Amino acid sequence: MPKAKATYVCTECGHTALQWAGKCPACGEWNTLQEQIAVEEKKFSRNTGDGDVTLTRISDVTAPKNERIDLGSTELNRVLGGGAVEGSLVLIGGEPGIGKSTLLLQSAAHVAASAKVYYFSGEESAHQIKMRAVRLKVSGRELFLAGETNIDRIVRKVIAEKPAMIVVDSLQTLYTEDSNSIPGSIAQIKNAAAMLLKLAKEAGITVFIIGHITKEGTLAGPKILEHTVDCVLYFEGDTEGQYRIIRSVKNRFGSVDEIGVFEMRETGLADVEDPSGIFARDRNREIGSGTVFAPVIEGSRVFCVEEQALVNTSVFGYPRRLAMGFDQNRLLMLCAILEKRASVALANQDVHVNIAQGLRVRETASDLSVAMAIVSSLTNVAISRDTGFIGELGLSGEIRSVRFVGRRVREMKKFGIHRILVPAGNADEATAEGLSVIPVNTVREAIEKALT
C-alpha cells in the first residue's frame, strides 16, 4: 500500500516544502504554507499498464448538442455565452458580500420553476437561505436546500436523483474523507473540484461553484483550479455601492472578457440593460475641468463612461500618482508621455484618476481620454460634454489606431456626443451623420484641438 506523507504547499506560488515554515522560501510570503497529505505513487515503468488505449477518428465522433439553460438573467446569460451549458462546471469568485450567493439563489429559483435544482451550502443553514429567498421574493417549486459540506455525500445524492443543476456554496467548505487535510486546504480543494468536474461531465449536470478570493483578488486555492473548470467568473464592484459587474475570464463555451452589469436592490440583483446610462448618468450636470467621456468595449458591449482626473501641486518631494478603476502603471506611462512629448509640466503635480461608478477600464483605447482629462485638470479648462476621445498613446507621443471604432462612434452619438477626436488611422471608419470627426496624429495635436 502506498505510504502517506505530509508536505507543505504555498497557497500563493505553489512551492512544496518538506516541513512547515512561517515564510515561503520561494515567494517570500508569510503564513502561506499549508499541510497537504500526499500519497507516494508507484514508480513509472514502461512495462506497466492495464490495457491498450482506444483511439477514434475525429470524423467518426458525434458531437453532442450542448443545450443552454436559461438562468433568468439577461446579463448572466450573456456572460456565459447565451446561458449555462448542460454538464458544465462554472466557478464564480468575488469578495465577501458582493452578491455571489444572491445571484445564484435567484438563478437557481428561476431554473427550479421547471426543473429540479439542488442548493448545497456549507456557510448557511437551510433556514438562513430561506430568509434570503423571502427577502429576494423568489421561490422555486423544485428548489431543494441542504447544509452539507461532505463532497462524497453530495456526489452520491446528485448521482442518485439527477437534478438539472446544483449550486455549491462554497468550494472552500467542502471536504472528502479520503483526505486528512482540513477543509479549504489545497488537497481538499483539488479533490472536491475533480469530483464535481467528473460529476458534471458524466451525469450531464450543470454545476455552479462559489469560490473565495485572496487579498490580492485571485481565487483562493491552487492555480490548477481555474484550469479544471469550464468557466471562471469574477464579481467586481464596491460592496457599499449600488452596482456590480460580473466578468468572464475563462469560458469554454463563449467569449472571454464579456461582462454583465447588475444593480443591487432590496429585492436582489437586477439586470442593467443600458450601462452607459449608469456609468455616465450625471452627464447633463454642469461639469468642470478634468472630466471627459469615452467609449469602452467589454466583450460584445460598447458603453460610455465618465473618466475624471484631478491634478494639484504636490506638497511632498515625490508627486503621487493614484488610479481608481484604471491601471496604475499605465497612468505612470501616460504622465511620462505628456511631459516628454507634449511639454505638460507634471513633475511637481499629484495626479489622481478615477473611473465613475466603480468600473475598471482595462483597454488601451482610453489612453487619449485619460490624458485629456489630466491636461484639462492641470490647465483648469473644462472640456465640452459633447466632446469624446478615442485612441491609444505610443511612447513617442503618436496616437495609434484602435479596434471597433465604428461601434464606438455610434454609441457616442447615441450618448449625445457630437465632436470626436480619433486616431488619423481610424478616420475612415469614424463616419456617422451629424458627427464632427477630428483626426489627430499626436497627443500634442490632440491637446491643441481639444482645448480650443
Side-chain angles (χ1 to χ4, degrees):
M1 180 179 179
K3 181 182 178 182
K5 66 177 182 179
T7 58
Y8 298 87
V9 180
C10 176
T11 58
E12 296 295 326
C13 67
H15 174 75
T16 302
L18 297 179
Q19 60 183 6
W20 186 87
K23 182 178 180 181
C24 174
C27 65
E29 292 293 328
W30 289 89
N31 299 321
T32 57
L33 290 179
Q34 292 188 3
E35 183 181 11
Q36 178 176 342
I37 304 299
V39 177
E40 280 190 9
E41 299 180 355
K42 295 183 296 183
K43 291 184 178 180
F44 173 78
S45 172
R46 294 181 182 273
N47 298 323
T48 60
D50 298 329
D52 197 9
V53 176
T54 302
L55 297 176
T56 304
R57 184 178 282 105
I58 189 171
S59 59
D60 297 333
V61 177
T62 302
K65 183 179 180 181
N66 289 324
E67 298 291 341
R68 298 274 184 173
I69 299 176
D70 179 18
L71 299 172
S73 167
T74 303
E75 297 297 291
L76 184 56
N77 286 338
R78 175 189 287 110
V79 172
L80 290 172
V85 174
E86 292 183 357
S88 62
L89 181 61
V90 182
L91 175 62
I92 299 182
E95 295 180 359
I98 200 71
K100 304 182 296 296
S101 301
T102 297
L103 178 62
L104 287 186
L105 181 58
Q106 292 178 209
S107 300
H110 176 82
V111 176
S114 57
K116 189 183 296 184
V117 178
Y118 289 174
Y119 193 109
F120 299 99
S121 177
E123 300 181 348
E124 296 177 293
S125 66
H127 294 91
Q128 291 174 314
I129 299 174
K130 174 63 177 180
M131 290 173 59
R132 189 193 306 124
V134 171
R135 177 175 59 83
L136 300 177
K137 298 180 180 179
V138 298
S139 61
R141 182 172 56 88
E142 293 295 312
L143 178 59
F144 298 87
L145 310 175
E148 182 59 70
T149 58
N150 188 307
I151 186 63
D152 303 296
R153 290 199 290 263
I154 290 175
V155 169
R156 286 197 296 268
K157 186 68 173 179
V158 172
I159 291 177
E161 302 190 5
K162 287 186 168 53
M165 186 176 91
I166 70 170
V167 177
V168 179
D169 183 8
S170 63
L171 181 64
Q172 280 74 18
T173 63
L174 298 181
Y175 73 95
T176 175
E177 296 175 352
D178 294 335
S179 175
N180 296 326
S181 301
I182 62 173
S185 64
I186 291 179
Q188 294 286 12
I189 291 175
K190 289 171 63 177
N191 290 335
M195 294 176 70
L196 290 173
L197 178 65
K198 184 177 181 181
L199 172 67
K201 301 307 177 186
E202 294 185 356
I205 297 171
T206 302
V207 180
F208 280 88
I209 311 172
I210 293 176
H212 297 166
I213 64 171
T214 64
K215 60 184 180 181
E216 288 79 19
T218 59
L219 284 164
K223 197 65 178 178
I224 194 174
L225 175 63
E226 297 187 34
H227 296 282
T228 300
V229 301
D230 295 311
C231 303
V232 179
L233 310 179
Y234 276 93
F235 236 142
E236 302 174 355
D238 185 359
T239 56
E240 302 296 329
Q242 187 177 1
Y243 298 102
R244 307 285 192 272
I245 295 172
I246 191 166
R247 186 184 302 273
S248 169
V249 296
K250 176 187 177 181
N251 191 352
R252 287 177 177 154
F253 311 107
S255 63
V256 295
D257 291 329
E258 192 72 69
I259 71 165
V261 185
F262 300 89
E263 180 182 2
M264 180 61 81
R265 300 175 181 173
E266 292 183 359
T267 55
L269 289 163
D271 295 341
V272 174
E273 299 293 340
D274 180 23
S276 293
I278 65 166
F279 292 131
R281 64 187 309 169
D282 300 326
R283 65 184 183 274
N284 293 324
R285 75 187 189 283
E286 191 67 30
I287 61 175
S289 61
T291 299
V292 300
F293 298 101
V296 172
I297 288 186
E298 293 285 355
S300 61
R301 313 181 74 176
V302 185
F303 46 87
C304 287
V305 299
E306 180 180 342
E307 300 174 345
Q308 302 172 325
L310 177 63
V311 180
N312 61 313
T313 303
S314 176
V315 296
F316 303 102
Y318 185 79
R320 305 181 70 187
R321 307 283 190 255
L322 297 179
M324 297 292 293
F326 192 75
D327 184 66
Q328 181 82 19
N329 293 326
R330 197 147 195 93
L331 174 59
L332 295 173
M333 186 191 75
L334 294 181
C335 292
I337 293 173
L338 288 173
E339 281 205 83
K340 181 70 174 180
R341 306 302 181 186
S343 301
V344 177
L346 296 173
N348 63 338
Q349 302 290 319
D350 290 336
V351 179
H352 307 263
V353 170
N354 176 58
I355 308 299
Q357 300 295 336
L359 182 69
R360 294 182 182 178
V361 174
R362 304 186 180 189
E363 62 169 356
T364 57
S366 294
D367 286 355
L368 181 59
S369 56
V370 172
M372 291 302 102
I374 293 173
V375 174
S376 171
S377 178
L378 177 66
T379 59
N380 203 27
V381 176
I383 295 176
S384 173
R385 67 166 61 91
D386 67 349
T387 301
F389 304 90
I390 304 172
E392 174 187 349
L393 295 190
L395 293 181
S396 61
E398 81 278 12
I399 300 178
R400 297 183 174 183
S401 302
V402 297
R403 58 176 186 157
F404 306 133
V405 169
R407 291 169 55 189
R408 298 177 196 268
V409 167
R410 288 191 293 271
E411 178 64 23
M412 296 176 82
K413 180 182 177 182
K414 184 174 66 175
F415 188 71
I417 293 176
H418 304 293
R419 181 171 177 257
I420 305 175
L421 277 70
V422 301
N426 291 126
D428 294 338
E429 306 171 54
T431 56
E433 185 177 352
L435 285 181
S436 173
V437 177
I438 304 174
V440 287
N441 290 289
T442 66
V443 64
R444 185 185 293 271
E445 180 185 354
I447 293 174
E448 294 173 354
K449 293 183 177 180
L451 299 181
T452 56

